[in-house]
Amino acid sequence: MKFFIDTANLAQIKEAQDLGVLDGVTTNPSLMAKEGIKGQNNILKHYVDICKIVTGDVSAEVIATDFEGIIKEGEALADLHERIVVKVPMIRDGVKAIKYFTDKGIKTNCTLVFSAGQALLAAKAGATYVSPFIGRLDDISVDGIGLIEDIRTIYDVHGFETEILAASIRHPLHIVQCAKAGADVATCPLSAITALLNHPLTDKGLAQFLADAKK
Ligand code: E4P
């Protein structure tokens, strides 16, 4: 399973890259706003800055919700850097745009996916990635990991090549559950990735080894 980091924070992206386990980055308009990135030129420059740090795919989301607007924005984003993946919402014109981008060889990430039916449509349109939001489903008492399992089954039965990019991950257990459920990618906050390091028996065992090494 690939690890993407779900942030627009350059320091956090660098930290994850330095850890040696980073395969890519996802952003969204809320994450860009959180970093105070405003104005079209600054936003585009920020995407390029992210691409210079990592070696994998970087999802950049369109704001337009009509077909022509999505195409115009998406093509401009794709032109920015070879690592850019155009992130498109799961709406009618979004599905049409994903098919258009697929036919042009532009990578896409279909975002805001909350059902197996939506994931099926994204795959039919040829999306490179589909992003089911597991945390937001859990937030409303719907089983997010169960959705990953359902999409995995459907894609395997029918041979779809769209990669399942588990999004809206809240904690390290989500990452482990996504790996068990067969997600191709998990996009996570840095805190969830680094939390995977922790186990009290590791700390206790290391302290003992270091103490014994001095004897
Ligand atoms: C990633 O592609 C999504 O935009 C992101 O994971 C959403 O996460 P949230 O539910 O924590 O906002």
Side-chain angles (χ1 to χ4, degrees):
M1 186 176 76
K2 287 181 264 189
F3 276 28
F4 286 7
I5 189 167
D6 194 27
T7 184
N9 182 288
L10 298 181
Q12 290 189 12
I13 294 168
K14 278 189 193 123
E15 187 178 334
Q17 179 70 20
D18 287 349
L19 190 59
V21 298
L22 192 66
D23 300 299
V25 179
T26 53
T27 63
N28 64 39
S30 304
L31 293 171
M32 295 294 273
K34 193 173 163 193
E35 299 307 316
I37 316 296
K38 290 180 195 152
Q40 190 61 5
N41 287 346
N42 290 335
I43 289 172
L44 298 182
K45 180 184 172 302
H46 200 74
Y47 286 136
V48 174
D49 289 344
I50 293 173
C51 288
K52 286 178 184 165
I53 299 172
V54 297
T55 50
D57 285 347
V58 174
S59 287
E61 188 160 341
V62 298
I63 309 300
T65 54
D66 63 293
F67 179 74
E68 286 75 18
I70 295 172
I71 299 305
K72 192 173 164 208
E73 258 187 70
E75 287 182 334
L77 289 169
D79 280 347
L80 281 178
H81 198 282
E82 61 186 2
R83 283 196 263 285
I84 291 286
V85 173
V86 181
K87 201 172 180 190
V88 180
M90 169 38 76
I91 53 176
R92 182 182 295 261
D93 281 14
V95 171
K96 279 174 63 179
I98 287 168
K99 173 73 175 118
Y100 172 91
F101 289 134
T102 302
D103 290 345
K104 285 197 76 177
I106 294 173
K107 286 185 173 183
T108 54
N109 174 355
C110 184
T111 190
L112 289 167
V113 165
F114 294 93
S115 76
Q118 291 178 323
L120 181 55
L121 264 184
K124 287 290 290 178
T128 314
Y129 298 101
V130 64
S131 287
F133 278 34
I134 63 173
R136 292 191 195 187
L137 283 172
D138 286 358
D139 289 345
I140 59 160
S141 304
V142 176
D143 180 11
I145 297 297
L147 176 59
I148 302 291
E149 291 168 349
D150 286 349
I151 299 171
R152 180 76 280 152
T153 300
I154 291 168
Y155 283 9
D156 287 351
V157 165
H158 297 282
F160 287 118
E161 290 178 3
T162 298
E163 293 191 46
I164 303 171
L165 195 170
S168 186
I169 282 178
R170 302 270 193 259
H171 48 68
L173 183 57
H174 267 160
I175 302 177
V176 173
Q177 290 171 322
C178 284
K180 283 173 69 179
D184 299 288
V185 188
T187 189
C188 324
L190 180 63
S191 58
I193 297 174
T194 54
L196 291 172
L197 289 164
N198 302 334
H199 198 289
L201 290 180
T202 303
D203 299 341
K204 187 180 170 194
L206 183 60
Q208 185 68 56
F209 286 154
L210 294 178
D212 289 345
K214 287 183 190 153
K215 288 178 185 169

